[in-house]
Amino acid sequence: MKRICLIIMCLVLLSTGCSEQKTTTLNIYYMIGGYFRKEETAEINAYLKKINSGYQINFVNMINTIPYDNETENIVYTSMSQRILEYLKEAREQHLEIDILNANQLGSMDFSRTYLVDEGLLTELDPYFKNTESGKIVYNAYPEIIFDSQKIDGKSYFVPGSLFDLVETKSSCFDKVAYMAIKKDYLDQAQFDQPLGYNLSQYNNFLRKIGMQDETQLLFYNSFRIMNNFPGLTPVCGSSLRVSPFVIDEKTQTVKILYECEDWLDSLNTFQGIFQDDYYVYDSDYIDMNAVVWYDYVNDEEENDRIYIAENYNYINVIPYWGLAIPSWCDKKDEVMDFFGLLYSDPELSRLFFPDALNPGEKMFFGYGNPYIVEGSTLPKDLTKENHQKFYESLNKSCAYGFTFDFSEYFDEMQDLVVKHNEYYTFYNDTSFIDMEKYKEVMKDTRIEEIRDDLNAQLQRYLKGD
């Protein structure tokens, strides 16, 4: 009898041991944002343990890892790309356990992402997307156009994440964001009869006339848009004019420096003039959807509700959904992709990676996972994969769509340009006080025009099919 009990106990112990799943810890390195505090990390890992996933996550902030003097250096005005890239090259040499790399900051500057690929620091993901079940889950989680837009030399290296503009600034992916919106009562009083166009300078006299009548409720004008999203100008790097001074003029299909774009300069100068003369009101809580002069993308069903200055002014080159990458030296690539498959298919796990808010009532736009399956959050209810696809299909593709610019010969110079661009022209500065003459003086003291010529030569060869 004792022998039988002993055998049973051994079988139970063996069974228990077999049921225990080996736990794999994945190190996620990220650069910007303290979004994964101890509480969030604990909640994520508790859920992963609860569902017996076999994974635990360790978040590492690269800003705290890379030597950086917080007291003497302003991160806004300091290019971290060189430091991060050198750090990653050294990490590869030392075989540092970085399993997942959040490329959010690097991703906002295409030349940095390209450099990562040039240096062989990232894993190509297309074989996973095509040949593994977890890879197919990730690929099917977002519209295909997002993956296509982020390819470097025709290959995929990134898993989408970080819902920048659609969740940060819009309550849905078909909302309108005003370039200029004149309140309807003022429009009626002033008998608006100006030709429609996106250059603000043509409205200068009209706006000043209204401003003389009542300078406290003149107009709603989104200065952020003119600084960072102007009709017909596509950033060469990243998704916004704030990232680098180089833009593609879609009318001429040439690369220009921002200060060479006359319509943009005219509109900026006009805005600064009406602001300094007090003929301007910016209302951050402006929700009057009856404003009548707009520029932005349109939903066909709503076209009759507003007057549009320019339909489909946007030109997409790279869509700003950069997220996660796998370092080329990672020993756990298959495990990482399996974890991605779980992250992009489990609604609760995606919710944990998409916190509802940083502050009460504030939407959280920074996260990983599949946003469309997130339950019980403040994310827009119509934030669907189908709506995203419609949104991007409604925009024009840049003449450089699908083309990868090569910055490898002047990466160091680009570091200098980005620092100067951030210091003299960014959304961190007040639009009304930007000194464009000073900006031009500072930028011309670099190799900016030589780099522009080379970028333009690259684009022209691409357009010719060379």
Side-chain angles (χ1 to χ4, degrees):
M1 184 68 180
K2 289 183 178 179
R3 185 176 180 183
I4 294 175
C5 290
L6 185 61
I7 292 173
I8 293 173
M9 288 177 64
C10 290
L11 290 173
V12 169
L13 288 173
L14 285 171
S15 176
T16 303
C18 292
S19 65
E20 290 181 355
Q21 187 171 2
K22 180 182 177 182
T23 299
T24 299
T25 298
L26 299 178
N27 296 310
I28 298 182
Y29 278 59
Y30 67 99
M31 179 176 172
I32 296 294
Y35 304 118
F36 297 107
R37 295 180 287 270
K38 291 181 180 179
E39 295 80 3
E40 284 81 3
T41 301
E43 192 175 4
I44 288 171
N45 283 327
Y47 179 74
L48 289 171
K49 186 175 182 180
K50 176 183 176 181
I51 63 174
N52 198 27
S53 69
Y55 292 104
Q56 290 286 276
I57 301 299
N58 178 41
F59 293 100
V60 181
N61 189 336
M62 282 193 283
I63 293 296
N64 297 331
T65 305
I66 299 172
Y68 177 74
D69 190 344
N70 285 310
E71 293 185 2
T72 62
E73 297 181 89
N74 186 336
I75 192 171
V76 170
Y77 298 150
T78 303
S79 175
M80 293 294 291
S81 298
Q82 182 67 53
R83 301 185 201 196
I84 290 175
L85 295 170
E86 291 301 326
Y87 174 78
L88 291 176
K89 286 194 288 186
E90 186 176 341
R92 178 179 57 186
E93 295 301 317
Q94 297 179 358
H95 212 81
L96 188 65
E97 288 190 39
I98 302 177
D99 303 304
I100 302 171
L101 176 65
N102 178 346
N104 62 291
Q105 181 66 14
L106 292 171
S108 67
M109 294 175 280
D110 292 344
F111 73 91
S112 299
R113 301 188 316 128
T114 304
Y115 190 79
L116 284 172
V117 174
D118 290 342
E119 290 293 317
L121 295 169
L122 300 183
T123 299
E124 183 190 345
L125 300 181
D126 290 309
Y128 291 95
F129 294 154
K130 295 176 182 177
N131 303 319
T132 69
E133 289 304 313
S134 55
K136 291 175 182 177
I137 288 173
V138 174
Y139 193 82
N140 290 328
Y142 275 85
E144 191 171 29
I145 191 173
I146 293 177
F147 289 94
D148 289 343
S149 80
Q150 296 177 10
K151 290 183 177 180
I152 296 176
D153 293 329
K155 298 179 180 179
S156 300
Y157 296 90
F158 301 95
V159 171
S162 305
L163 301 183
F164 279 101
D165 60 338
L166 289 187
V167 180
E168 181 186 15
T169 61
K170 304 174 180 64
S171 62
S172 83
C173 50
F174 282 131
D175 273 359
K176 307 298 184 293
V177 177
Y179 167 69
M180 178 178 69
I182 305 171
K183 294 187 177 181
K184 192 174 187 307
D185 52 351
Y186 284 98
L187 191 83
D188 293 339
Q189 293 173 23
Q191 297 181 338
F192 179 78
D193 59 357
Q194 305 296 310
L196 296 178
Y198 55 73
N199 187 332
L200 186 63
S201 63
Q202 68 182 324
Y203 301 99
N204 186 42
N205 293 335
F206 172 69
L207 296 175
R208 289 177 179 275
K209 180 180 177 181
I210 300 177
M212 292 175 65
Q213 298 171 7
D214 184 347
E215 63 184 40
T216 62
Q217 292 293 319
L218 168 58
L219 72 142
F220 170 84
Y221 182 87
N222 192 332
S223 56
F224 177 89
R225 301 290 287 180
I226 189 174
M227 287 188 69
N228 301 310
N229 305 86
F230 194 76
L233 298 183
T234 305
V236 167
C237 298
S239 60
S240 168
L241 304 183
R242 72 175 182 259
V243 174
S244 87
F246 301 110
V247 298
I248 300 167
D249 183 338
E250 301 293 348
K251 288 183 179 179
T252 61
Q253 296 193 338
T254 58
V255 174
K256 291 183 178 179
I257 302 169
L258 192 58
Y259 57 69
E260 296 174 321
C261 302
E262 294 182 1
D263 283 349
W264 181 87
L265 277 175
D266 286 346
S267 292
L268 181 66
N269 291 335
T270 300
F271 164 70
Q272 290 177 332
I274 62 176
F275 178 89
Q276 291 162 1
D277 292 339
D278 294 327
Y279 296 155
Y280 161 81
V281 170
Y282 175 76
D283 180 1
S284 59
D285 297 321
Y286 188 77
I287 57 174
D288 180 8
M289 292 295 102
N290 293 319
V292 295
V293 180
W294 298 73
Y295 95 134
D296 211 335
Y297 53 86
V298 294
N299 180 356
D300 291 341
E301 296 177 358
E302 300 175 5
E303 284 189 7
N304 295 327
D305 295 342
R306 302 171 178 86
I307 298 174
Y308 295 96
I309 292 177
E311 291 187 16
N312 295 335
Y313 80 94
N314 265 319
Y315 288 80
I316 57 171
N317 187 12
V318 176
I319 299 173
Y321 280 67
W322 303 286
L324 305 174
I326 305 176
S328 58
W329 66 93
C330 175
D331 293 326
K332 307 173 187 173
K333 294 177 183 178
D334 291 343
E335 290 93 332
V336 170
M337 188 54 66
D338 286 342
F339 172 74
F340 285 164
L342 176 64
L343 175 60
Y344 283 74
S345 61
D346 186 307
E348 177 62 14
L349 188 59
S350 282
R351 185 193 69 78
L352 293 174
F353 274 83
F354 272 95
D356 285 350
L358 288 177
N359 300 304
E362 180 180 333
K363 283 189 171 61
M364 183 62 168
F365 68 99
F366 215 74
Y368 319 127
N370 187 338
Y372 317 120
I373 62 174
V374 170
E375 299 176 355
S377 78
T378 58
L379 291 169
K381 301 304 179 186
D382 64 346
L383 187 70
T384 65
K385 178 180 175 180
E386 292 71 25
N387 275 357
H388 266 108
Q389 184 70 28
K390 290 179 182 177
F391 165 51
Y392 288 120
E393 286 177 351
S394 75
L395 305 181
N396 302 303
K397 289 185 179 179
S398 169
C399 63
Y401 184 84
F403 176 62
T404 302
F405 285 95
D406 182 4
F407 295 90
S408 59
E409 293 186 10
Y410 32 77
F411 182 78
D412 291 339
E413 287 85 352
M414 285 297 295
Q415 302 300 309
D416 185 43
L417 281 173
V418 167
V419 171
K420 287 182 168 61
H421 184 70
N422 272 283
E423 185 170 0
Y424 292 94
Y425 171 88
T426 72
F427 72 99
Y428 297 104
N429 294 320
D430 189 327
T431 316
S432 56
F433 299 111
I434 292 177
D435 186 341
M436 284 307 299
E437 292 305 315
K438 179 66 175 177
Y439 175 80
K440 285 190 282 187
E441 177 185 337
V442 170
M443 301 308 282
K444 285 187 175 183
D445 196 32
T446 67
R447 291 179 60 198
I448 189 169
E449 295 185 354
E450 181 181 342
I451 296 174
R452 172 209 58 201
D453 291 343
D454 183 60
L455 293 173
N456 192 43
Q458 291 183 39
L459 177 61
Q460 299 313 311
R461 288 195 294 270
Y462 170 72
L463 295 176
K464 292 178 182 177
D466 295 343

